[in-house]
Amino acid sequence: MSSETQTSHSPAIDSRRLLADLKALARIGATAAGGVSRPAYSDADIAAREAVRDLMRDAGLEVRVDAGGNTFGSMRGRMDAPPIVIGSHTDTVPDGGRFDGALGVLAAMEVARTLRDRGETITHPLEVVDFQNEEGGLIGSKIVSGRFTADALSLVATSGRTIGDGIRRLGGDPEHLERAVRRPGSIAAYVELHIEQGMIIERAGAQIGVVEGLVAIRYWDVTFEGVASHAGTTAMTDRRDALLAAARFVDAVNTVVTSTPGRHVGTVGKLAVFPGGANVIPGKVVLTLELRDQFDDVIETLFERIEREAKRVANGTGTRVTMIPTLRNAPSPTDPRVREAVARAAEDLGLKTHAMVSGAGHDAQNMAAIGPAGMVFVPSVNGISHSPAEQTEDQDVINGANVLLGAVLRLDATL
Amino acid sequence: MSSETQTSHSPAIDSRRLLADLKALARIGATAAGGVSRPAYSDADIAAREAVRDLMRDAGLEVRVDAGGNTFGSMRGRMDAPPIVIGSHTDTVPDGGRFDGALGVLAAMEVARTLRDRGETITHPLEVVDFQNEEGGLIGSKIVSGRFTADALSLVATSGRTIGDGIRRLGGDPEHLERAVRRPGSIAAYVELHIEQGMIIERAGAQIGVVEGLVAIRYWDVTFEGVASHAGTTAMTDRRDALLAAARFVDAVNTVVTSTPGRHVGTVGKLAVFPGGANVIPGKVVLTLELRDQFDDVIETLFERIEREAKRVANGTGTRVTMIPTLRNAPSPTDPRVREAVARAAEDLGLKTHAMVSGAGHDAQNMAAIGPAGMVFVPSVNGISHSPAEQTEDQDVINGANVLLGAVLRLDATL
């Protein structure tokens, strides 16, 4: 138990309650493989948000759903000041894990409950947030930070529903998203606890990651077009096989990314073959390319090399290639005051910290546009995430929630 | 018109009537793209078979549907001998073309009508056949040749119906398929006219392909298993990316197949990525491997080399690979007497022939189990098939039907 490592003046969250909440939420959308499927706007996503609102109400928080479909639970402060906002998201990728997002929301809930149980009112109001559709492009926090453009309402999310329909399902109002926008300066701070989803903290021999910044992310839709034809009657030399082209492209992406020194990553995660019959030479392949790095110009250089490879592959296979950019997230540094609060809170608990860059995008990068934002990371076993095998040890869950609590108290005192 | 190239003693089919029949049948299941969709057991498939039976009745043939759902139209011969059977199929792949199958059935009809119009009775009875579900695995001819096993009745065809339900829809009796089986020796010959679906005849500067045999075909389901993980937080060196493995495998299949001299082909036509999110490293990829050659041992050698490459790829990517055989069709030579009859019939018409192997499977390979079987091929424009762009020139349609007629007369005289 975390209490063993705490000095007498540190408040501590109720670890048993938090672990029980995590277990209960993981039942909503649970998969046979031991994971969780709660794609944004699915029935399971809606049910999980209702469960979070129940927890908020039980804790005496004032609950509201904003026009963007995000859930907020508020606690008054001693002063009528801008609030400290803590939270994350409860939507998941299809067949995802139990911690990605859920930990940040439930730990934030637990922080609010701990303060209430101690009869302690902090200076700033406190808000617990459950952002919508984080996995589909940080949609909820984009709306709150004013970075969302209405033309994206018609995009189809993983659950098969458009973002507009999804927001309506969540109780939001897609026709009046401006009502959900919060102006710069309107929050005192945003702090998000999240699993690391990598192996950096563990390899550094630390327990807590203090996030210095979030990487830039860019997506492209890549299409190879050849000619669909009969697999039995078309000689090898007559083929214009779009899948052969796509295969060489996937290999080339890996070669470019791994042969360039640095911590950037490049991924092809989605690939569809048309017409897709075992006895038909593929005429078209559509795939996604994703590149991430701390610096925009590194991504630019990688992409230029990959684009050259794509053209070379297309020439060699008699196919045509098009690469259309679909997403561009700028790199996002965190606020030094939040970093300091997180690091000091961890030290108070005797935990070793490691300063690091987040390879994943998080709602914190949008919240940084409206106030000082930062993140607390806890280790992921074997770095596995977006998978039923996603795991974070109980002690790390408890450490993370206690650091979040400590950081909130420090920010409340210093901001 | 073909009559210009014919010597006076050659009978000739009515080319205008045949072209009109082809046009009329192509309206049943016509697609906006200019093709035809008549997947086995669909409403369009049933309607086309009814249209064929109407043509048979108009021509004075005796019509029956066997227990396997195949349509036959019979004409008596001068002797009570085993019949000469001619025909093909009228089902198509989804979004297929106007000639694949339909040409063989309608040309056979036209041959029967020509004989009737000339008041000529041949020695052997003549049967025109429209086999069912050729595209889904030569099902109708498998039943007739006794190669169909009842456990396949529950397999679901492209139209969404099981083969059993489909046979019932066609007027067959899936509980008594043995009634449709014909014993070896029970037919005098089987001759099938079909479009080539490749470019071999055209490249040889010929008009008629004389099919020496049909290739062996083998299918495997290939699965690469890695670890699904977060695309932003998993370093390149920590990845076990199933799609990277599959991509290298697809390229290796192409390298093995094209670097081995011969006319074999190898195709990966179907590939699915799991979980399939743009920001998730693929944990599993399932794909199909198809190999075709005239000789079984060539396929065996190719497969052994591909299997070695698959293991090498799996080792290099930290993934596991499994390869499960799912289909095995033996090579099928045609009968030399039928080849001779086809070649001589073409020569009589002044047409240049080219001896060739069929890369596609056809009902003729099943009929070869019960009697001398062979095929007449006519050119496909640009080799395109299984596509709305499938095309065969009028003159080649007419040539093919006249060669079929000539071959029937020769076989009738010599068998």
Side-chain angles (χ1 to χ4, degrees), chain A residues 131-172:
Chain A
F131 286 116
Q132 63 102 337
N133 200 359
E134 193 269 353
E135 298 293 357
L138 316 178
I139 304 302
S141 57
K142 254 189 194 149
I143 293 171
V144 169
S145 63
R147 289 173 163 180
F148 185 83
T149 47
D151 52 352
L153 285 171
S154 60
L155 295 179
V156 176
T158 309
S159 59
R161 291 188 172 83
T162 64
I163 291 176
D165 288 345
I167 289 175
R168 221 168 276 122
R169 273 205 111 194
L170 297 185

Side-chain angles (χ1 to χ4, degrees), chain B residues 92-281:
Chain B
T92 74
V93 294
D95 243 325
R98 294 169 292 139
F99 299 91
D100 181 352
L103 173 61
V105 173
L106 295 177
M109 266 307 308
E110 182 54 34
V111 165
R113 278 189 304 215
T114 301
L115 293 174
R116 182 209 57 187
D117 290 352
R118 291 161 51 98
E120 203 167 302
T121 308
I122 60 173
T123 306
H124 297 77
L126 184 71
E127 285 187 27
V128 175
V129 62
D130 181 359
F131 286 116
Q132 63 103 338
N133 200 359
E134 193 269 353
E135 297 293 357
L138 316 178
I139 303 302
S141 57
K142 255 189 192 148
I143 292 170
V144 169
S145 62
R147 290 172 163 182
F148 184 84
T149 47
D151 52 352
L153 284 171
S154 60
L155 295 179
V156 176
T158 309
S159 60
R161 291 188 173 82
T162 64
I163 291 176
D165 287 345
I167 290 174
R168 220 169 277 120
R169 272 205 111 194
L170 298 185
D173 180 358
E175 272 81 45
H176 296 96
L177 292 182
E178 71 284 354
R179 292 180 188 160
V181 176
R182 296 170 81 153
R183 279 165 316 137
S186 66
I187 65 169
Y190 174 76
V191 196
E192 180 171 355
L193 168 65
H194 205 281
I195 57 167
E196 180 201 334
Q197 310 179 277
M199 300 176 77
I200 297 172
I201 301 173
E202 188 189 327
R203 286 196 179 144
Q207 287 96 46
I208 294 289
V210 181
V211 178
E212 295 184 302
L214 294 96
V215 294
I217 306 179
R218 292 178 67 183
Y219 281 15
W220 290 263
D221 276 348
V222 180
T223 304
F224 283 94
E225 279 179 285
V227 176
S229 191
H230 191 294
T233 56
T234 312
M236 297 308 290
T237 47
D238 292 336
R239 297 179 174 213
R240 296 166 66 186
D241 183 338
L243 180 55
L244 178 63
R248 288 182 181 165
F249 176 80
V250 169
D251 197 24
V253 167
N254 187 263
T255 303
V256 167
V257 169
T258 56
S259 68
T260 309
R263 285 192 300 182
H264 50 264
V265 289
T267 305
V268 177
K270 206 166 163 178
L271 185 149
V273 180
F274 303 96
N279 59 351
V280 186
I281 298 160

